[in-house]
Amino acid sequence: VKSHIDNVIRLQYGNKSVTSETVTCIKQIGGNFVEKIPVFHAGNELIWPDNVEENHRPKVDFKPVPNMKLAINPDCSEKDADSAMARIVALSPDAGQAILSLNLVCIQWNAFVKAGITPRCNMYLYGPTGAKKTTYAAFTTQIYNRHNPLEYPNRLNTSIPAVLKLIEGVRHGVLVLDDLYPADSAEIRRKQEKTLLEITRIIADGTEPARVNGREIKKRSPCCGILGTGEYYIGEGSDAARLFPVEIKAPINTNELTACQNEPLMLSTYYWYYIKWYVSKFYEIVDLLKTWKTTYWAQVENIAGHDRLKETQFCFMAGYRLYLTYRKEKGFITIDESIKLDSLFRSQLNTIIEKQ
């Protein structure tokens, strides 16, 4: 059909070259490319790099995702949004940095892949009941629909096929699963642990089985992270390497958390600003990740330990370092502050890994 149309055009207008304009269809949430330009599908809008002027953008067939919106506060400055995120992270020195790092790694999934690193990151946040760990994790990682009430995480008593269905709906983000608790029934406890371990294996190994419990599911490499919460430590050997357990030792201050929750759009506004920076600096970020990867593996190559755990450590380290790079470039922190914060987080990661 196209050949016939081209021939008709040539007969009508002579033997001038016939060109067709390329139109890129963008329908997947998260990072995408329009030709070689990195963009981010944020549900209700397509976020473009700063240096691509609107009237010079390639043609795009953009398909919004129903009921998904990166809601922002237009009156919130970038500095105020950054300060709000810093306050959230500071609510839990034990876990805040790691949670944010995991989310930023997933948001920047395409940059990591472009640098030769496929993020296969999970995190298991455990601590005493009443520590507000699940509320904190969900509030910190939720990117979309923050103009609505907080989306409460799915429970670990959900079946594995049901969780896999949830994973299919999360791209370049984090899925929070609650709640591994000391159930009275040993059978229920084993079932919950099995669900968490199976799901984290799927994410960490990057594969979905052809069948789960006799039911067919789609074969698709997951493009998200899992953050599970619970009241006790779980995982040994390779399972611990996949889970990356982080202990929250002290309960989060309820009043301070509530104050943050009263301004839910501050964090989604932060993510909007950060994503704008990310797509604008995409290829520079890729180069940074390549350099950091080379340096990191030269440092840990001869150190005993599970390679999977080393890969996870690198991703968390790189995610947090990109957070600091963003803050430093925007003038929100100094170079000296960035170096100090990076060193402190590296020490925290090393402490976590020593427990594995």
Side-chain angles (χ1 to χ4, degrees):
V1 174
K2 183 180 184 301
S3 175
H4 173 71
I5 292 173
D6 288 349
N7 288 335
V8 170
I9 294 172
R10 287 191 185 94
L11 287 172
Q12 190 167 355
Y13 295 100
N15 282 324
K16 295 179 181 178
S17 61
V18 178
T19 59
S20 57
E21 191 172 35
T22 301
V23 178
T24 305
C25 180
I26 302 290
K27 61 181 180 179
Q28 282 192 309
I29 203 79
N32 291 271
F33 293 94
V34 178
E35 297 176 10
K36 291 186 178 181
I37 301 172
V39 295
F40 198 93
H41 188 322
N44 59 313
E45 67 169 314
L46 196 60
I47 302 177
W48 290 80
D50 283 329
N51 60 352
V52 181
E53 296 179 9
E54 188 170 353
N55 57 342
H56 291 141
R57 292 172 183 172
K59 294 289 184 181
V60 171
D61 177 14
F62 171 65
K63 299 184 182 300
V65 175
N67 303 316
M68 183 170 281
K69 180 180 181 180
L70 181 54
I72 65 171
N73 178 357
D75 297 323
C76 176
S77 69
E78 190 164 4
K79 183 173 178 56
D80 286 344
D82 174 77
S83 297
M85 179 57 81
R87 286 196 299 274
I88 282 289
V89 170
L91 286 179
S92 176
D94 300 324
Q97 295 164 324
I99 292 172
L100 175 60
S101 178
L102 175 62
N103 214 26
L104 294 183
V105 168
C106 293
I107 286 172
Q108 297 167 108
W109 190 281
N110 284 348
F112 277 81
V113 172
K114 198 81 171 175
I117 309 147
T118 302
R120 299 296 179 203
C121 296
N122 300 298
M123 178 175 164
Y124 174 59
L125 183 63
Y126 68 101
T129 184
K132 301 291 182 183
K133 52 191 176 294
T134 303
T135 301
Y136 179 62
F139 183 76
T140 305
T141 56
Q142 183 175 327
I143 300 172
Y144 307 104
N145 297 339
R146 296 189 72 104
H147 57 299
N148 295 330
L150 180 69
E151 296 173 1
Y152 201 79
N154 290 274
R155 301 298 295 265
L156 275 168
N157 57 9
T158 305
S159 67
I160 292 176
V163 176
L164 289 174
K165 189 69 177 175
L166 292 171
I167 289 174
E168 288 179 14
V170 180
R171 184 173 184 269
H172 300 175
V174 172
L175 177 65
V176 179
L177 295 174
D178 171 55
D179 178 17
L180 201 60
Y181 61 93
D184 294 333
S185 165
E187 182 181 352
I188 292 175
R189 178 169 172 159
R190 282 195 300 270
K191 183 179 178 182
Q192 291 176 334
E193 291 177 1
K194 179 183 177 182
T195 299
L196 179 60
L197 291 174
E198 180 63 28
I199 296 304
T200 53
R201 286 189 193 109
I202 289 166
I203 297 294
D205 297 342
T207 57
E208 291 184 0
R211 291 177 179 272
V212 177
N213 292 343
R215 291 180 56 184
E216 279 204 31
I217 60 170
K218 295 179 181 177
K219 283 186 178 180
R220 182 175 69 84
S221 183
C223 297
C224 68
I226 295 290
L227 200 168
T229 66
E231 295 182 11
Y232 59 92
Y233 184 90
I234 181 178
E236 296 179 355
S238 59
D239 283 333
R242 293 185 182 98
L243 271 173
F244 201 68
V246 176
E247 184 178 9
I248 185 166
K249 299 174 183 176
I252 293 168
N253 185 292
T254 302
N255 292 334
E256 292 179 4
L257 179 59
T258 300
C260 292
Q261 289 176 305
N262 288 336
E263 297 182 305
L265 293 187
M266 295 295 280
L267 262 63
S268 50
T269 303
Y270 168 83
Y271 284 124
W272 187 93
Y273 280 122
Y274 187 92
I275 290 168
K276 186 74 170 174
W277 174 80
Y278 158 59
V279 295
S280 299
K281 299 282 187 176
F282 181 86
Y283 290 103
E284 293 176 41
I285 289 171
V286 171
D287 289 340
L288 280 175
L289 289 171
K290 288 179 178 178
T291 300
W292 294 344
K293 181 180 72 168
T294 300
T295 303
Y296 173 80
W297 281 106
Q299 293 171 344
V300 303
E301 185 177 9
N302 296 319
I303 297 177
H306 203 293
D307 280 350
R308 189 188 304 279
L309 197 54
K310 293 177 183 178
E311 291 167 2
T312 300
Q313 181 187 28
F314 173 79
C315 286
F316 275 92
M317 179 202 76
Y320 189 69
R321 190 172 285 178
L322 286 171
Y323 164 66
L324 296 177
T325 301
Y326 162 77
R327 301 190 75 198
K328 183 174 58 178
E329 285 193 7
K330 296 293 182 177
F332 302 148
I333 57 173
T334 66
I335 294 175
D336 288 344
E337 287 172 327
S338 175
I339 292 171
K340 181 180 178 180
L341 290 168
D342 180 67
S343 177
L344 288 172
F345 187 59
R346 283 290 300 269
S347 296
Q348 182 184 347
L349 288 177
N350 289 335
T351 300
I352 292 169
I353 287 171
E354 286 169 4
K355 293 181 180 180
Q356 309 301 311

